[in-house]
Amino acid sequence: MKYMSKVAVAAFAAVSMIAAASAASAQTVSPTGAVTVSGQLTQGLNGVSWFDTVCNTTFTGTADAAGFTLTGISSVKVSGPLSCDDGIQLPVRINALSSSQLSIEELVVDTRLGSCSGTDIRVPWNNANSSVTVPTTAIGFCRLAGTLTVSPATTIN
């Protein structure tokens, strides 16, 4: 349970800050270099709302012309029974499918109940405010939702 928060945090952060070229159409991420992805994520277990935990999360990583790689995470619990640290397997890579959609390549979060994992997790990207909003998404037996903002402001074309 302690690690479930990492699942949510990692998924959101990865989603919001990573963008890369897709096979169908090449996308360009700008600018490149060091990035910070931060925001509030809610994590929990599928079908069990009393485990919902809200975390203020910050990911660090690098943007290149093809996308982002998240390599660091820090998170502080706002509310709920789960921990907001430990569990997410870094690095996390996210691909830009279009100027309005990202795909988390692979997300693995270790929890006390086992690992939650998912591939090709699609989330909406907003170029206007350099953010990703993760609608309530199931990743194995885990669930997460939230909005993360990338800094410096990032555009996907």
Side-chain angles (χ1 to χ4, degrees):
M1 311 227 153
K2 172 183 178 186
Y3 303 110
M4 295 194 111
S5 58
K6 276 268 183 154
V7 175
V9 173
F12 292 104
V15 171
S16 65
M17 84 177 254
I18 298 182
S22 71
S25 63
Q27 302 299 310
T28 302
V29 176
S30 179
T32 59
V35 293
T36 301
V37 178
S38 59
Q40 199 165 77
L41 300 174
T42 300
Q43 62 188 1
L45 297 173
N46 286 330
V48 187
S49 63
W50 57 272
F51 273 113
D52 285 359
T53 300
V54 177
C55 303
N56 287 332
T57 303
T58 300
F59 291 87
T60 56
T62 305
D64 59 41
F68 298 83
T69 301
L70 301 176
T71 56
I73 183 173
S74 65
S75 190
V76 176
K77 180 167 50 175
V78 174
S79 65
L82 304 175
S83 173
C84 291
D85 56 1
D86 301 333
I88 186 138
Q89 293 184 13
L90 297 172
V92 175
R93 179 76 183 176
I94 297 174
N95 297 323
L97 301 178
S98 71
S99 62
S100 62
Q101 187 177 50
L102 302 177
S103 174
I104 300 173
E105 207 170 282
E106 182 176 11
L107 180 62
V108 178
V109 180
D110 293 325
T111 74
R112 292 180 183 177
L113 301 174
S115 289
C116 293
S117 64
T119 58
D120 191 25
I121 302 165
R122 295 178 184 221
V123 295
W125 168 260
N126 185 322
N127 263 340
N129 61 13
S130 189
S131 70
V132 61
T133 297
V134 179
T136 301
T137 302
I139 300 173
F141 58 84
C142 301
R143 177 177 37 82
L144 58 93
T147 299
L148 298 171
T149 301
V150 177
S151 180
T154 301
T155 303
I156 301 170
N157 294 311

